[in-house]
Amino acid sequence: MKKLELHWQILIGMLLGILFALGMVQFNWGPQFISDWIKPFGTIFINSLKLIAIPLILAALIKGVSDLRDISSLSKMGLRTISTYIITTVVAVSIGLTVVSLVKPGGSINEDTRTELIEAYGGDAEMKRQDAKKQQDAGPLQALEDLVPSNIFSAASSNRNMLQVIFFAVFFGIALILIPEEKGATVKKFFDGFNEVILKMVDLIMLSAPYGVFALMAALVVEAPSTDLFAALGMYAFCVILGLALMVVFYIALVKGFTGKSPKFFMNGIAPAQLLAFSTSSSAATLPVTMERVTEHLGVEEEVSSFVLPIGATINMDGTSLYQAVAAVFIAQAFGIDLSFGTQLGIIATATLASIGSAAVPGAGMVMLVGVLGYAGIPEAGLALIFAVDRPLDMCRTVINVTGDASVSMLVAKSADKLGDPSPKNWDDNYDDVK
Ligand code: ASP
């Protein structure tokens, strides 16, 4: 019998997880059972992915940069990557603003519902606000200062410091290009092999993905907050999801237009990474799988993917920026604040920057949203309005963050003439889905 493709297996795992949890909550002891006996497997699965994120960035970027062989092709690819990332982010924010202005979801929230939501979630939102306050207190050059670690081992000890690890890896890669070839050969070979080992680890972890997402979804269902207030937020969530769906259309058109690859090819190739992004809400945890899919199933040469994707996972968050724009305008509408055209343009700029600054972990986009609200003079208490639905929307925007990185990597590969045919190495992959 033909083996079911991985993305179907993952999807079935997710659905079964939801159904299982919905069944279990009928029993008094059900939620506790899931927390004690099912959730840990989800945590183990995410941890095993996060475990290899930093070694993967180190190995992939050092290999990627040093494969470029000269500094001019590095700066050319770097420039292309960053500028395409910024363009897609600005498109995302603009789509978000258009949708939320047309649908006006905040208009339907009345005074009572607003008070109810703020009372229900005010405390949780306060924590986010304090996190954001710490970031706002920093000086104007803090972000630049934070880029350079004072100790690579302490930087590599936390997944939150990915940008610092990227800095080190690119710096190391550049130095490797600059030394005589015979001296660098062994080091390069080491990182090539190291990279292969990490990618194989991803393959092995992915074998357990359907079970991992089963556990993650089951835990999510039993931990979900009350659903009563969700109706009031339905239109807001609809705007975010509609905007995100339009982004998928945009990526598909971009990939088709610039590389000639069909939507089916693109979506089939990236699907397992999307499903994983959905279940983990973390582009950082998904990165190893994004790398594997893009390289082996979308035909992007490793030289490009190992450079473009780690950077994308950290700075390119189209879904997050779109969400931030919609959320800011929604809160303004709910409080009856009219935003001028100038303020809306400012939201494009601040949401772009805020998404670049968001860490690739669950909930980070909401912390950075505070900056956008602050800029536009929208009350921060509004965070409490959207708190209840933030997790499901986080799951959806992370899918777009990952899809955006994958499409840009195809564009950059095409422009550098490094887009070939897919070459799955993994014995478990289904070869049919890559044609
Ligand atoms: N969870 C998102 C990510 O990891 C970031 C966010 O929007 O909260 O890509």
Side-chain angles (χ1 to χ4, degrees):
M1 200 181 77
K2 194 177 145 200
K3 204 159 178 268
L4 211 56
E5 287 164 26
L6 185 60
H7 53 272
W8 289 119
Q9 292 181 28
I10 296 179
L11 204 61
I12 292 172
M14 285 162 80
L15 288 178
L16 288 180
I18 294 173
L19 291 178
F20 177 72
L22 288 177
M24 290 300 273
V25 290
Q26 308 306 323
F27 306 100
N28 284 341
W29 49 270
Q32 194 58 40
F33 177 84
I34 290 189
S35 296
D36 290 347
W37 294 98
I38 306 290
K39 190 180 173 193
F41 292 102
T43 312
I44 291 173
F45 174 64
I46 298 202
N47 284 352
S48 57
L49 281 169
K50 287 186 184 161
L51 168 75
I52 49 176
I54 294 273
L56 176 72
I57 289 184
L58 265 181
L61 266 179
I62 292 176
K63 177 178 156 32
V65 171
S66 60
D67 274 349
L68 291 174
R69 276 179 219 99
D70 64 81
I71 300 292
S72 79
S73 47
L74 173 68
S75 52
K76 217 190 277 163
M77 183 161 13
L79 207 68
R80 264 184 213 154
T81 305
I82 308 272
S83 51
T84 320
Y85 277 153
I86 292 180
I87 292 170
T88 57
T89 306
V90 171
V91 169
V93 184
S94 311
I95 290 183
L97 279 181
T98 312
V99 172
V100 73
S101 309
L102 291 178
V103 180
K104 295 202 178 52
S108 64
I109 293 227
N110 60 32
E111 184 76 41
D112 290 348
T113 320
R114 191 164 74 205
T115 322
E116 203 183 336
L117 280 166
I118 291 183
E119 271 168 13
Y121 295 103
D124 295 333
E126 177 56 31
M127 271 166 54
K128 292 271 175 198
R129 208 155 45 221
Q130 280 171 6
D131 279 356
K133 182 93 187 59
K134 275 189 221 136
Q135 303 208 8
Q136 276 173 350
D137 287 344
L141 291 185
Q142 189 64 43
L144 196 65
E145 213 178 305
D146 287 346
L147 193 65
V148 186
S150 59
N151 183 316
I152 183 57
F153 294 102
S154 70
S157 70
S158 160
N159 284 349
R160 285 191 170 263
N161 298 336
M162 276 200 192
L163 224 45
Q164 298 189 338
V165 178
I166 288 180
F167 173 82
F168 176 83
V170 172
F171 196 11
F172 190 98
I174 292 174
L176 192 52
I177 298 177
L178 294 176
I179 62 172
E181 213 175 317
E182 68 284 1
K183 291 233 165 92
T186 319
V187 181
K188 214 172 145 338
K189 260 207 186 117
F190 169 78
F191 280 105
D192 281 1
F194 193 76
N195 196 32
E196 283 295 313
V197 173
I198 302 277
L199 289 177
K200 182 45 83 186
M201 287 171 83
V202 179
D203 287 346
L204 296 174
I205 295 169
M206 282 307 279
L207 293 179
S208 67
Y211 308 99
V213 296
F214 172 93
L216 288 173
M217 295 311 280
L220 213 63
V221 170
V222 297
E223 285 168 3
S226 106
T227 47
D228 303 352
L229 294 172
F230 276 36
L233 297 172
M235 283 310 273
Y236 154 68
F238 167 77
C239 285
V240 176
I241 292 172
L242 177 66
L244 296 177
L246 289 174
M247 279 310 284
V248 176
V249 177
F250 171 66
Y251 295 137
I252 286 177
L254 215 56
V255 168
K256 178 82 188 150
F258 281 88
T259 72
K261 300 285 184 191
S262 73
K264 183 166 181 263
F265 171 88
F266 177 61
M267 294 308 276
N268 267 352
I270 196 66
Q274 290 174 321
L275 292 172
L276 211 63
F278 186 79
S279 353
T280 61
S281 281
S282 163
S283 343
T286 313
L287 178 64
V289 180
T290 319
M291 295 270 277
E292 194 242 20
R293 298 305 297 186
V294 164
T295 314
E296 294 184 15
H297 296 259
L298 294 178
V300 175
E301 285 185 20
E302 228 173 309
E303 213 173 304
V304 175
S305 63
S306 54
F307 178 79
V308 177
L309 291 174
I311 295 180
T314 359
I315 68 163
N316 183 48
M317 301 212 179
D318 300 344
T320 300
S321 64
L322 186 148
Y323 143 84
Q324 285 167 336
V326 175
V329 177
F330 167 73
I331 295 171
Q333 290 171 350
F335 281 94
I337 302 169
D338 251 345
L339 298 173
S340 67
F341 183 67
T343 311
Q344 300 212 19
L345 283 184
I347 290 183
I348 297 188
T350 42
T352 303
L353 291 175
S355 70
I356 292 176
S358 301
V361 296
M366 193 174 197
V367 174
M368 296 304 282
L369 172 62
V370 179
V372 182
L373 297 181
Y375 156 79
I378 302 168
E380 287 172 8
L383 279 190
L385 288 182
I386 56 168
F387 203 89
V389 283
D390 200 63
R391 179 63 194 222
L393 294 182
D394 191 3
M395 296 160 81
C396 300
R397 65 189 189 241
T398 309
V399 172
I400 299 305
N401 291 345
V402 167
T403 313
D405 298 344
S407 59
V408 171
S409 76
M410 288 182 78
L411 260 53
V412 174
K414 179 73 185 175
S415 71
D417 207 13
K418 302 226 175 286
L419 189 67
D421 286 327
S423 53
K425 295 183 198 138
N426 179 7
W427 48 268
D428 189 53
D429 281 331
N430 192 322
Y431 289 77
D432 289 346
D433 67 350
V434 295
K435 296 219 178 93

